[in-house]
């Protein structure tokens, strides 16, 4: 299966620099093909092999570059047939509509569903030009912003904190769901940028951790099952799930609604256990965390002081924001990045590594989402 990633953005936004960084730091070991059309910014030196509308040359780090002159659909198929890459990077014209490129790629993917997968579509945007480009190039620029799965801001180090937050807010108005990368690239490893592009959300990370804890506990439970009576077994289960167990009586439809409502719940890692809706296997003694609880997540370039974060986490214990089981975040601090972890009545705030933007995640039941947004000022 070949993954296809689209990198759009106006000329001068920094698409080429970003692609080179990802090739060097994130795609190591992968066989890559880069397809760019006639407005592409990468100048490829060397002798071209010209075949049916594609100019091909080798680039550093094992990337094969195709400068597209002919039919896009045909070029994409031929590049895949000729090179069998792990990943195709497409750099469309700076003046094109991203939505048109997505449709063209999807059409090709639909014709080759066993070979191709549209993996991501990214827009690279100069942070200092967001406002003026929205005003002057509305239709084309806004289309690139609105259609993006991830928006990667360049030149953010040139902006004041106030202007950076204003630019991010303008983008968020046009695109409520995309990850928006606001951290200067030189502070980030390419793999961190890739995690934003491929949507590795804090919610998914946290739910995976909770799921892993469930599995360990289930294994222990099964191991000791033969010499524990039911009452002891129930206590053992309840000890680990003391916060979850109280909530399992909530209406299942309500949880299903919660589940659908939150953007991070795209993946059902544990749905393979049983296809029979009547079967109660694995669900008799407890509910999986992502079945019972909902998650609230926000991204923000805002800076937090350690003291303010501590105060916010203390307030999560009040019950005013719902029944909160876990919270996790990494945010820009006043003296470097800060990470926090929270469980009821206990939390830790420590120095962290830069992330692509500040990220917050709260998992619990009956979450007061407006209250949480107000508490964290996002």
């Amino acid at each position: 299966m070949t993954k296809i990633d689209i990198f759009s953005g106006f000329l001068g936004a920094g698409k080429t620099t970003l692609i080179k960084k990802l090739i060097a730091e994130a795609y190591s070991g992968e066989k890559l093909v880069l397809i760019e059309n006639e407005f592409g910014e990468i100048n490829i030196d060397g002798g071209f092999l010209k075949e049916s509308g594609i100019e091909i040359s080798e680039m550093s780090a094992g990337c094969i570059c195709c400068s597209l002159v002919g039919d896009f659909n045909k070029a994409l198929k031929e590049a895949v047939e000729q090179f069998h890459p792990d990943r195709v990077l497409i750099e469309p014209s700076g003046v094109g509509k991203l939505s048109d490129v997505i449709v063209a790629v999807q059409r090709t993917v639909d014709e080759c569903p066993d070979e191709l997968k549209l993996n991501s579509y990214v827009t690279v945007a100069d942070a200092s030009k967001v406002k003026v480009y929205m005003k002057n190039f509305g239709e084309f620029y806004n289309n690139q912003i609105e259609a993006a799965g991830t928006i990667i801001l360049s030149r953010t180090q040139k902006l004041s904190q106030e202007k950076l937050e204003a630019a991010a807010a303008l983008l968020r108005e046009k695109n409520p769901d995309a990850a928006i990368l606001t951290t200067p690239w030189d502070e980030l490893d390419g793999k961190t940028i890739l995690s934003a592009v491929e949507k590795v959300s804090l919610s998914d990370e946290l739910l995976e951790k909770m799921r892993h804890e469930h599995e360990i506990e289930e294994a222990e439970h099964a191991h000791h099952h033969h010499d524990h009576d039911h009452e002891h077994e129930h206590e053992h289960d309840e000890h680990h799930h003391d916060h979850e167990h109280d909530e399992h009586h909530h209406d299942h439809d309500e949880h299903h609604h919660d589940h659908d409502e939150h953007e991070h719940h795209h993946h059902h890692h544990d749905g393979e256990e049983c296809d029979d809706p009547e079967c109660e296997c694995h669900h008799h003694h407890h509910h999986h965390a992502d079945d019972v609880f909902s998650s609230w997540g926000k991204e923000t370039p805002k800076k937090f002081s350690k003291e303010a974060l501590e105060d916010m986490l203390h307030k999560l214990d009040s019950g005013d924001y719902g029944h909160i089981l876990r919270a996790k975040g990494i945010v820009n601090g006043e003296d470097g990045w800060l990470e926090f972890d929270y469980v009821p009545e206990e939390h830790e705030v420590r120095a962290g590594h830069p992330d692509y933007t500040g990220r917050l995640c709260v998992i619990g039941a009956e979450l007061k989402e407006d209250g949480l947004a107000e508490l964290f000022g996002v």
Side-chain angles (χ1 to χ4, degrees), residues 292-308:
V292 177
F293 293 98
S294 56
S295 71
W296 171 87
K298 284 286 182 191
E299 297 189 348
T300 177
K302 182 180 166 177
K303 287 194 173 182
F304 294 78
S305 71
K306 189 173 182 182
E307 296 71 28

Side-chain angles (χ1 to χ4, degrees), residues 198-209:
E198 297 196 330
K199 287 286 201 304
V200 181
S201 73
L202 272 188
S203 174
D204 286 342
E205 287 177 21
L206 202 44
L207 285 167
E208 190 59 44
K209 186 178 177 183

Side-chain angles (χ1 to χ4, degrees), residues 49-339:
L49 167 64
K50 195 161 188 175
E51 284 187 3
S52 57
I54 316 175
E55 295 179 351
I56 299 164
S57 86
E58 292 285 344
M59 187 181 165
S60 61
C63 174
I64 298 144
C65 293
C66 313
S67 185
L68 175 57
V69 220
D71 175 70
F72 179 82
N73 184 297
K74 185 179 175 187
L76 181 54
K77 282 184 185 170
E78 291 197 2
V80 171
E81 282 168 18
Q82 187 167 347
F83 301 112
H84 305 289
D86 299 305
R87 196 185 291 263
V88 173
L89 312 179
I90 296 175
E91 185 185 1
S93 161
V95 295
K97 283 190 174 182
L98 174 56
S99 60
D100 290 344
V101 181
I102 292 170
V103 167
V105 172
Q106 190 60 54
R107 193 177 296 129
T108 313
V109 168
D110 290 342
E111 291 173 16
C112 314
D114 298 328
E115 298 166 49
L116 302 176
K117 174 193 172 190
L118 177 50
N119 186 54
S120 68
Y121 23 96
V122 172
T123 293
V124 185
D126 184 329
S128 63
K129 295 190 166 80
V130 171
K131 194 172 183 179
V132 69
Y133 277 12
M134 277 187 180
K135 185 180 175 186
N136 294 334
F137 305 104
E139 184 186 356
F140 291 97
Y141 186 78
N142 289 344
N143 179 273
Q144 291 192 1
I145 299 304
E146 288 161 5
T150 306
I151 300 166
I152 298 183
L153 289 178
S154 60
R155 303 180 180 88
T156 55
Q157 61 270 54
K158 291 183 174 181
L159 294 187
S160 67
Q161 183 64 25
E162 186 183 13
K163 285 190 173 175
L164 178 60
E165 290 182 22
L170 283 172
L171 295 169
R172 184 57 77 208
E173 277 178 28
K174 299 284 182 199
N175 190 327
D177 301 320
I180 300 177
L181 186 145
T182 57
T183 306
W185 301 355
D186 54 7
E187 294 177 26
L188 295 174
D189 181 87
K191 289 185 176 66
T192 307
I193 297 175
L194 187 60
S195 76
V197 171
E198 297 196 330
K199 287 286 201 304
V200 181
S201 73
L202 272 188
S203 174
D204 286 342
E205 287 177 21
L206 202 44
L207 285 167
E208 190 59 44
K209 186 178 177 183
M210 292 163 73
R211 198 171 290 115
H212 181 61
E213 288 169 2
H214 276 294
E215 285 166 4
I216 291 171
E217 206 258 332
E218 275 181 359
E220 288 173 357
H221 180 81
H223 182 68
H224 295 297
H225 190 267
H226 64 282
D227 56 7
H228 283 64
D229 63 26
H230 181 75
E231 185 184 348
H232 190 97
E233 169 189 305
H234 183 71
E235 285 171 6
H236 179 78
D237 208 15
E238 193 170 50
H239 172 71
H240 187 78
H241 302 288
D242 52 346
H243 300 293
E244 286 185 348
H245 205 267
D246 293 341
E247 301 297 330
H248 78 279
H249 60 273
H250 277 309
D251 183 277
H252 180 74
D253 287 340
E254 179 188 339
H255 295 142
H256 185 72
H257 174 69
D258 283 347
H259 192 79
D260 288 345
E261 197 171 66
H262 293 278
E263 64 194 51
H264 294 309
H265 287 180
H266 299 308
H267 314 293
H268 295 275
H269 300 282
D270 45 35
E272 308 87 38
E273 288 171 3
C274 187
D275 291 324
D276 182 0
E278 298 301 316
C279 174
E280 292 187 26
C281 67
H282 275 288
H283 301 289
H284 183 65
H285 294 294
H286 70 268
H287 293 263
H288 284 294
D290 53 350
D291 289 336
V292 177
F293 293 98
S294 56
S295 71
W296 171 87
K298 284 286 182 191
E299 297 189 348
T300 177
K302 182 180 166 177
K303 287 194 173 182
F304 294 78
S305 71
K306 189 173 182 182
E307 296 71 28
L309 264 186
E310 297 266 9
D311 182 55
M312 291 166 191
L313 297 175
H314 274 303
K315 286 177 178 170
L316 292 183
D317 288 326
S318 66
D320 294 342
Y321 302 96
H323 178 83
I324 294 167
L325 181 69
R326 292 280 181 94
K328 184 180 179 66
I330 177 158
V331 294
N332 208 345
E334 293 177 343
D335 301 304
W337 285 73
L338 296 169
E339 286 184 50

